[in-house]
Amino acid sequence: QVQLVESGGGLVQTGGSLRLSCIASGSISSFNAMAWYRQGPGKQRELVAGIFNGSTTNYLDSVKGRFTISRDNAKNTVYLQMNSLKPEDTGLYYCTNGAIVAGRRIGSWGQGTHVTVSS
């Protein structure tokens, strides 16, 4: 099972930017889908962005136009560029090649990276 390690989180002011990275221990080229989830304080984990079949992307409505997901198969890395950050974007951000199905996590998941947006 591939290991995923997220980085790039931190403390940023409202309106700021962060770029999250997710490095895999092995090749990600065989994974049709990679995604970023987040879990805010007192909230359930939610899908923020996904990239499918290399180029098709989808986003949580609240982050559309502000976040961009991308992948570099040669570097076994997935990125999440986050601009115009808001306090409600605060949370623990996870990278996965899986999903949450019927409340259960499937696939490989990283340990997460913290993002805190101050007002």
Side-chain angles (χ1 to χ4, degrees), residues 1-23:
Q1 194 172 18
V2 68
Q3 304 298 314
L4 302 171
V5 179
E6 303 94 337
S7 63
L11 173 63
V12 64
Q13 291 184 332
T14 296
S17 297
L18 286 172
R19 188 194 196 201
L20 306 185
S21 298
C22 169
I23 298 176

mmCIF file with all atom_site columns, all heavy atoms in Angstrom, residues 1-23:
data_model
loop_
_atom_site.group_PDB
_atom_site.id
_atom_site.type_symbol
_atom_site.label_atom_id
_atom_site.label_alt_id
_atom_site.label_comp_id
_atom_site.label_asym_id
_atom_site.label_entity_id
_atom_site.label_seq_id
_atom_site.pdbx_PDB_ins_code
_atom_site.Cartn_x
_atom_site.Cartn_y
_atom_site.Cartn_z
_atom_site.occupancy
_atom_site.B_iso_or_equiv
_atom_site.pdbx_formal_charge
_atom_site.auth_seq_id
_atom_site.auth_comp_id
_atom_site.auth_asym_id
_atom_site.auth_atom_id
_atom_site.pdbx_PDB_model_num
ATOM 1   N N   . GLN A 1 1  ? 0.849  -1.180 0.000  1.00 0.00 ? 1  GLN A N   1
ATOM 2   C CA  . GLN A 1 1  ? 0.000  0.000  0.000  1.00 0.00 ? 1  GLN A CA  1
ATOM 3   C C   . GLN A 1 1  ? 0.890  1.237  0.000  1.00 0.00 ? 1  GLN A C   1
ATOM 4   O O   . GLN A 1 1  ? 1.860  1.317  0.737  1.00 0.00 ? 1  GLN A O   1
ATOM 5   C CB  . GLN A 1 1  ? -0.905 0.000  1.235  1.00 0.00 ? 1  GLN A CB  1
ATOM 6   C CG  . GLN A 1 1  ? -2.032 0.992  1.170  1.00 0.00 ? 1  GLN A CG  1
ATOM 7   C CD  . GLN A 1 1  ? -3.014 0.825  2.327  1.00 0.00 ? 1  GLN A CD  1
ATOM 8   O OE1 . GLN A 1 1  ? -2.683 0.206  3.348  1.00 0.00 ? 1  GLN A OE1 1
ATOM 9   N NE2 . GLN A 1 1  ? -4.207 1.348  2.170  1.00 0.00 ? 1  GLN A NE2 1
ATOM 10  N N   . VAL A 1 2  ? 0.569  2.190  -0.869 1.00 0.00 ? 2  VAL A N   1
ATOM 11  C CA  . VAL A 1 2  ? 1.394  3.379  -0.980 1.00 0.00 ? 2  VAL A CA  1
ATOM 12  C C   . VAL A 1 2  ? 1.252  4.243  0.264  1.00 0.00 ? 2  VAL A C   1
ATOM 13  O O   . VAL A 1 2  ? 0.176  4.331  0.856  1.00 0.00 ? 2  VAL A O   1
ATOM 14  C CB  . VAL A 1 2  ? 1.001  4.178  -2.249 1.00 0.00 ? 2  VAL A CB  1
ATOM 15  C CG1 . VAL A 1 2  ? -0.393 4.774  -2.119 1.00 0.00 ? 2  VAL A CG1 1
ATOM 16  C CG2 . VAL A 1 2  ? 2.016  5.253  -2.539 1.00 0.00 ? 2  VAL A CG2 1
ATOM 17  N N   . GLN A 1 3  ? 2.358  4.847  0.697  1.00 0.00 ? 3  GLN A N   1
ATOM 18  C CA  . GLN A 1 3  ? 2.347  5.786  1.817  1.00 0.00 ? 3  GLN A CA  1
ATOM 19  C C   . GLN A 1 3  ? 2.290  7.201  1.262  1.00 0.00 ? 3  GLN A C   1
ATOM 20  O O   . GLN A 1 3  ? 2.962  7.514  0.275  1.00 0.00 ? 3  GLN A O   1
ATOM 21  C CB  . GLN A 1 3  ? 3.609  5.617  2.662  1.00 0.00 ? 3  GLN A CB  1
ATOM 22  C CG  . GLN A 1 3  ? 3.828  4.206  3.178  1.00 0.00 ? 3  GLN A CG  1
ATOM 23  C CD  . GLN A 1 3  ? 2.718  3.733  4.095  1.00 0.00 ? 3  GLN A CD  1
ATOM 24  O OE1 . GLN A 1 3  ? 2.293  4.463  4.991  1.00 0.00 ? 3  GLN A OE1 1
ATOM 25  N NE2 . GLN A 1 3  ? 2.233  2.521  3.860  1.00 0.00 ? 3  GLN A NE2 1
ATOM 26  N N   . LEU A 1 4  ? 1.479  8.054  1.908  1.00 0.00 ? 4  LEU A N   1
ATOM 27  C CA  . LEU A 1 4  ? 1.306  9.432  1.470  1.00 0.00 ? 4  LEU A CA  1
ATOM 28  C C   . LEU A 1 4  ? 1.710  10.379 2.586  1.00 0.00 ? 4  LEU A C   1
ATOM 29  O O   . LEU A 1 4  ? 1.325  10.168 3.745  1.00 0.00 ? 4  LEU A O   1
ATOM 30  C CB  . LEU A 1 4  ? -0.151 9.687  1.073  1.00 0.00 ? 4  LEU A CB  1
ATOM 31  C CG  . LEU A 1 4  ? -0.713 8.786  -0.033 1.00 0.00 ? 4  LEU A CG  1
ATOM 32  C CD1 . LEU A 1 4  ? -2.217 8.997  -0.178 1.00 0.00 ? 4  LEU A CD1 1
ATOM 33  C CD2 . LEU A 1 4  ? -0.013 9.043  -1.348 1.00 0.00 ? 4  LEU A CD2 1
ATOM 34  N N   . VAL A 1 5  ? 2.485  11.396 2.255  1.00 0.00 ? 5  VAL A N   1
ATOM 35  C CA  . VAL A 1 5  ? 2.942  12.366 3.249  1.00 0.00 ? 5  VAL A CA  1
ATOM 36  C C   . VAL A 1 5  ? 2.612  13.768 2.759  1.00 0.00 ? 5  VAL A C   1
ATOM 37  O O   . VAL A 1 5  ? 3.113  14.201 1.703  1.00 0.00 ? 5  VAL A O   1
ATOM 38  C CB  . VAL A 1 5  ? 4.451  12.242 3.502  1.00 0.00 ? 5  VAL A CB  1
ATOM 39  C CG1 . VAL A 1 5  ? 4.896  13.294 4.523  1.00 0.00 ? 5  VAL A CG1 1
ATOM 40  C CG2 . VAL A 1 5  ? 4.799  10.845 4.000  1.00 0.00 ? 5  VAL A CG2 1
ATOM 41  N N   . GLU A 1 6  ? 1.795  14.467 3.529  1.00 0.00 ? 6  GLU A N   1
ATOM 42  C CA  . GLU A 1 6  ? 1.415  15.834 3.184  1.00 0.00 ? 6  GLU A CA  1
ATOM 43  C C   . GLU A 1 6  ? 2.358  16.843 3.836  1.00 0.00 ? 6  GLU A C   1
ATOM 44  O O   . GLU A 1 6  ? 2.908  16.575 4.920  1.00 0.00 ? 6  GLU A O   1
ATOM 45  C CB  . GLU A 1 6  ? -0.021 16.144 3.653  1.00 0.00 ? 6  GLU A CB  1
ATOM 46  C CG  . GLU A 1 6  ? -1.088 15.221 3.111  1.00 0.00 ? 6  GLU A CG  1
ATOM 47  C CD  . GLU A 1 6  ? -1.394 14.065 4.047  1.00 0.00 ? 6  GLU A CD  1
ATOM 48  O OE1 . GLU A 1 6  ? -0.534 13.724 4.878  1.00 0.00 ? 6  GLU A OE1 1
ATOM 49  O OE2 . GLU A 1 6  ? -2.512 13.502 3.957  1.00 0.00 ? 6  GLU A OE2 1
ATOM 50  N N   . SER A 1 7  ? 2.510  17.978 3.209  1.00 0.00 ? 7  SER A N   1
ATOM 51  C CA  . SER A 1 7  ? 3.289  19.082 3.770  1.00 0.00 ? 7  SER A CA  1
ATOM 52  C C   . SER A 1 7  ? 2.783  20.394 3.191  1.00 0.00 ? 7  SER A C   1
ATOM 53  O O   . SER A 1 7  ? 1.977  20.393 2.255  1.00 0.00 ? 7  SER A O   1
ATOM 54  C CB  . SER A 1 7  ? 4.781  18.914 3.463  1.00 0.00 ? 7  SER A CB  1
ATOM 55  O OG  . SER A 1 7  ? 5.001  18.959 2.064  1.00 0.00 ? 7  SER A OG  1
ATOM 56  N N   . GLY A 1 8  ? 3.253  21.501 3.769  1.00 0.00 ? 8  GLY A N   1
ATOM 57  C CA  . GLY A 1 8  ? 2.915  22.807 3.232  1.00 0.00 ? 8  GLY A CA  1
ATOM 58  C C   . GLY A 1 8  ? 1.888  23.581 4.021  1.00 0.00 ? 8  GLY A C   1
ATOM 59  O O   . GLY A 1 8  ? 1.601  24.738 3.706  1.00 0.00 ? 8  GLY A O   1
ATOM 60  N N   . GLY A 1 9  ? 1.314  22.954 5.046  1.00 0.00 ? 9  GLY A N   1
ATOM 61  C CA  . GLY A 1 9  ? 0.343  23.661 5.852  1.00 0.00 ? 9  GLY A CA  1
ATOM 62  C C   . GLY A 1 9  ? 1.009  24.706 6.729  1.00 0.00 ? 9  GLY A C   1
ATOM 63  O O   . GLY A 1 9  ? 2.235  24.804 6.789  1.00 0.00 ? 9  GLY A O   1
ATOM 64  N N   . GLY A 1 10 ? 0.197  25.495 7.402  1.00 0.00 ? 10 GLY A N   1
ATOM 65  C CA  . GLY A 1 10 ? 0.729  26.514 8.288  1.00 0.00 ? 10 GLY A CA  1
ATOM 66  C C   . GLY A 1 10 ? -0.317 27.518 8.680  1.00 0.00 ? 10 GLY A C   1
ATOM 67  O O   . GLY A 1 10 ? -1.515 27.312 8.450  1.00 0.00 ? 10 GLY A O   1
ATOM 68  N N   . LEU A 1 11 ? 0.152  28.602 9.264  1.00 0.00 ? 11 LEU A N   1
ATOM 69  C CA  . LEU A 1 11 ? -0.719 29.694 9.698  1.00 0.00 ? 11 LEU A CA  1
ATOM 70  C C   . LEU A 1 11 ? -0.624 30.826 8.679  1.00 0.00 ? 11 LEU A C   1
ATOM 71  O O   . LEU A 1 11 ? 0.479  31.264 8.331  1.00 0.00 ? 11 LEU A O   1
ATOM 72  C CB  . LEU A 1 11 ? -0.291 30.188 11.074 1.00 0.00 ? 11 LEU A CB  1
ATOM 73  C CG  . LEU A 1 11 ? -0.993 31.439 11.614 1.00 0.00 ? 11 LEU A CG  1
ATOM 74  C CD1 . LEU A 1 11 ? -2.483 31.169 11.807 1.00 0.00 ? 11 LEU A CD1 1
ATOM 75  C CD2 . LEU A 1 11 ? -0.341 31.875 12.924 1.00 0.00 ? 11 LEU A CD2 1
ATOM 76  N N   . VAL A 1 12 ? -1.772 31.290 8.222  1.00 0.00 ? 12 VAL A N   1
ATOM 77  C CA  . VAL A 1 12 ? -1.792 32.347 7.220  1.00 0.00 ? 12 VAL A CA  1
ATOM 78  C C   . VAL A 1 12 ? -2.963 33.281 7.513  1.00 0.00 ? 12 VAL A C   1
ATOM 79  O O   . VAL A 1 12 ? -3.961 32.856 8.110  1.00 0.00 ? 12 VAL A O   1
ATOM 80  C CB  . VAL A 1 12 ? -1.907 31.740 5.803  1.00 0.00 ? 12 VAL A CB  1
ATOM 81  C CG1 . VAL A 1 12 ? -3.220 31.009 5.612  1.00 0.00 ? 12 VAL A CG1 1
ATOM 82  C CG2 . VAL A 1 12 ? -1.699 32.787 4.720  1.00 0.00 ? 12 VAL A CG2 1
ATOM 83  N N   . GLN A 1 13 ? -2.838 34.518 7.122  1.00 0.00 ? 13 GLN A N   1
ATOM 84  C CA  . GLN A 1 13 ? -3.921 35.475 7.326  1.00 0.00 ? 13 GLN A CA  1
ATOM 85  C C   . GLN A 1 13 ? -4.979 35.334 6.230  1.00 0.00 ? 13 GLN A C   1
ATOM 86  O O   . GLN A 1 13 ? -4.697 34.807 5.147  1.00 0.00 ? 13 GLN A O   1
ATOM 87  C CB  . GLN A 1 13 ? -3.377 36.899 7.329  1.00 0.00 ? 13 GLN A CB  1
ATOM 88  C CG  . GLN A 1 13 ? -2.514 37.229 8.540  1.00 0.00 ? 13 GLN A CG  1
ATOM 89  C CD  . GLN A 1 13 ? -2.074 38.681 8.561  1.00 0.00 ? 13 GLN A CD  1
ATOM 90  O OE1 . GLN A 1 13 ? -1.939 39.309 7.518  1.00 0.00 ? 13 GLN A OE1 1
ATOM 91  N NE2 . GLN A 1 13 ? -1.867 39.219 9.753  1.00 0.00 ? 13 GLN A NE2 1
ATOM 92  N N   . THR A 1 14 ? -6.163 35.822 6.517  1.00 0.00 ? 14 THR A N   1
ATOM 93  C CA  . THR A 1 14 ? -7.234 35.845 5.521  1.00 0.00 ? 14 THR A CA  1
ATOM 94  C C   . THR A 1 14 ? -6.741 36.522 4.248  1.00 0.00 ? 14 THR A C   1
ATOM 95  O O   . THR A 1 14 ? -6.106 37.583 4.306  1.00 0.00 ? 14 THR A O   1
ATOM 96  C CB  . THR A 1 14 ? -8.461 36.595 6.062  1.00 0.00 ? 14 THR A CB  1
ATOM 97  O OG1 . THR A 1 14 ? -8.981 35.877 7.187  1.00 0.00 ? 14 THR A OG1 1
ATOM 98  C CG2 . THR A 1 14 ? -9.546 36.692 5.012  1.00 0.00 ? 14 THR A CG2 1
ATOM 99  N N   . GLY A 1 15 ? -7.022 35.874 3.127  1.00 0.00 ? 15 GLY A N   1
ATOM 100 C CA  . GLY A 1 15 ? -6.570 36.395 1.843  1.00 0.00 ? 15 GLY A CA  1
ATOM 101 C C   . GLY A 1 15 ? -5.232 35.849 1.383  1.00 0.00 ? 15 GLY A C   1
ATOM 102 O O   . GLY A 1 15 ? -4.833 36.080 0.233  1.00 0.00 ? 15 GLY A O   1
ATOM 103 N N   . GLY A 1 16 ? -4.553 35.146 2.252  1.00 0.00 ? 16 GLY A N   1
ATOM 104 C CA  . GLY A 1 16 ? -3.250 34.596 1.920  1.00 0.00 ? 16 GLY A CA  1
ATOM 105 C C   . GLY A 1 16 ? -3.332 33.321 1.098  1.00 0.00 ? 16 GLY A C   1
ATOM 106 O O   . GLY A 1 16 ? -4.423 32.857 0.744  1.00 0.00 ? 16 GLY A O   1
ATOM 107 N N   . SER A 1 17 ? -2.155 32.770 0.816  1.00 0.00 ? 17 SER A N   1
ATOM 108 C CA  . SER A 1 17 ? -2.065 31.567 -0.009 1.00 0.00 ? 17 SER A CA  1
ATOM 109 C C   . SER A 1 17 ? -1.158 30.528 0.631  1.00 0.00 ? 17 SER A C   1
ATOM 110 O O   . SER A 1 17 ? -0.235 30.875 1.387  1.00 0.00 ? 17 SER A O   1
ATOM 111 C CB  . SER A 1 17 ? -1.492 31.913 -1.393 1.00 0.00 ? 17 SER A CB  1
ATOM 112 O OG  . SER A 1 17 ? -2.329 32.800 -2.095 1.00 0.00 ? 17 SER A OG  1
ATOM 113 N N   . LEU A 1 18 ? -1.442 29.287 0.330  1.00 0.00 ? 18 LEU A N   1
ATOM 114 C CA  . LEU A 1 18 ? -0.594 28.169 0.709  1.00 0.00 ? 18 LEU A CA  1
ATOM 115 C C   . LEU A 1 18 ? -0.600 27.159 -0.428 1.00 0.00 ? 18 LEU A C   1
ATOM 116 O O   . LEU A 1 18 ? -1.590 27.047 -1.164 1.00 0.00 ? 18 LEU A O   1
ATOM 117 C CB  . LEU A 1 18 ? -1.096 27.487 1.984  1.00 0.00 ? 18 LEU A CB  1
ATOM 118 C CG  . LEU A 1 18 ? -0.897 28.194 3.316  1.00 0.00 ? 18 LEU A CG  1
ATOM 119 C CD1 . LEU A 1 18 ? -1.640 27.438 4.417  1.00 0.00 ? 18 LEU A CD1 1
ATOM 120 C CD2 . LEU A 1 18 ? 0.577  28.327 3.657  1.00 0.00 ? 18 LEU A CD2 1
ATOM 121 N N   . ARG A 1 19 ? 0.478  26.414 -0.527 1.00 0.00 ? 19 ARG A N   1
ATOM 122 C CA  . ARG A 1 19 ? 0.542  25.325 -1.488 1.00 0.00 ? 19 ARG A CA  1
ATOM 123 C C   . ARG A 1 19 ? 0.853  24.040 -0.737 1.00 0.00 ? 19 ARG A C   1
ATOM 124 O O   . ARG A 1 19 ? 1.929  23.903 -0.151 1.00 0.00 ? 19 ARG A O   1
ATOM 125 C CB  . ARG A 1 19 ? 1.620  25.569 -2.542 1.00 0.00 ? 19 ARG A CB  1
ATOM 126 C CG  . ARG A 1 19 ? 1.601  24.557 -3.684 1.00 0.00 ? 19 ARG A CG  1
ATOM 127 C CD  . ARG A 1 19 ? 2.872  24.632 -4.482 1.00 0.00 ? 19 ARG A CD  1
ATOM 128 N NE  . ARG A 1 19 ? 2.765  23.976 -5.779 1.00 0.00 ? 19 ARG A NE  1
ATOM 129 C CZ  . ARG A 1 19 ? 3.808  23.554 -6.479 1.00 0.00 ? 19 ARG A CZ  1
ATOM 130 N NH1 . ARG A 1 19 ? 5.029  23.731 -6.024 1.00 0.00 ? 19 ARG A NH1 1
ATOM 131 N NH2 . ARG A 1 19 ? 3.625  22.970 -7.661 1.00 0.00 ? 19 ARG A NH2 1
ATOM 132 N N   . LEU A 1 20 ? -0.102 23.125 -0.751 1.00 0.00 ? 20 LEU A N   1
ATOM 133 C CA  . LEU A 1 20 ? 0.079  21.838 -0.107 1.00 0.00 ? 20 LEU A CA  1
ATOM 134 C C   . LEU A 1 20 ? 0.670  20.841 -1.098 1.00 0.00 ? 20 LEU A C   1
ATOM 135 O O   . LEU A 1 20 ? 0.349  20.881 -2.288 1.00 0.00 ? 20 LEU A O   1
ATOM 136 C CB  . LEU A 1 20 ? -1.250 21.299 0.420  1.00 0.00 ? 20 LEU A CB  1
ATOM 137 C CG  . LEU A 1 20 ? -2.046 22.211 1.343  1.00 0.00 ? 20 LEU A CG  1
ATOM 138 C CD1 . LEU A 1 20 ? -3.284 21.478 1.868  1.00 0.00 ? 20 LEU A CD1 1
ATOM 139 C CD2 . LEU A 1 20 ? -1.211 22.734 2.483  1.00 0.00 ? 20 LEU A CD2 1
ATOM 140 N N   . SER A 1 21 ? 1.524  19.971 -0.588 1.00 0.00 ? 21 SER A N   1
ATOM 141 C CA  . SER A 1 21 ? 2.103  18.909 -1.401 1.00 0.00 ? 21 SER A CA  1
ATOM 142 C C   . SER A 1 21 ? 1.817  17.564 -0.752 1.00 0.00 ? 21 SER A C   1
ATOM 143 O O   . SER A 1 21 ? 1.760  17.461 0.479  1.00 0.00 ? 21 SER A O   1
ATOM 144 C CB  . SER A 1 21 ? 3.614  19.094 -1.531 1.00 0.00 ? 21 SER A CB  1
ATOM 145 O OG  . SER A 1 21 ? 3.941  20.296 -2.182 1.00 0.00 ? 21 SER A OG  1
ATOM 146 N N   . CYS A 1 22 ? 1.665  16.567 -1.568 1.00 0.00 ? 22 CYS A N   1
ATOM 147 C CA  . CYS A 1 22 ? 1.453  15.203 -1.096 1.00 0.00 ? 22 CYS A CA  1
ATOM 148 C C   . CYS A 1 22 ? 2.398  14.312 -1.875 1.00 0.00 ? 22 CYS A C   1
ATOM 149 O O   . CYS A 1 22 ? 2.234  14.155 -3.089 1.00 0.00 ? 22 CYS A O   1
ATOM 150 C CB  . CYS A 1 22 ? 0.011  14.792 -1.321 1.00 0.00 ? 22 CYS A CB  1
ATOM 151 S SG  . CYS A 1 22 ? -0.321 13.033 -1.074 1.00 0.00 ? 22 CYS A SG  1
ATOM 152 N N   . ILE A 1 23 ? 3.389  13.759 -1.174 1.00 0.00 ? 23 ILE A N   1
ATOM 153 C CA  . ILE A 1 23 ? 4.389  12.909 -1.826 1.00 0.00 ? 23 ILE A CA  1
ATOM 154 C C   . ILE A 1 23 ? 4.085  11.450 -1.498 1.00 0.00 ? 23 ILE A C   1
ATOM 155 O O   . ILE A 1 23 ? 3.898  11.089 -0.337 1.00 0.00 ? 23 ILE A O   1
ATOM 156 C CB  . ILE A 1 23 ? 5.804  13.278 -1.368 1.00 0.00 ? 23 ILE A CB  1
ATOM 157 C CG1 . ILE A 1 23 ? 6.103  14.727 -1.768 1.00 0.00 ? 23 ILE A CG1 1
ATOM 158 C CG2 . ILE A 1 23 ? 6.830  12.357 -1.997 1.00 0.00 ? 23 ILE A CG2 1
ATOM 159 C CD1 . ILE A 1 23 ? 7.447  15.219 -1.274 1.00 0.00 ? 23 ILE A CD1 1
#
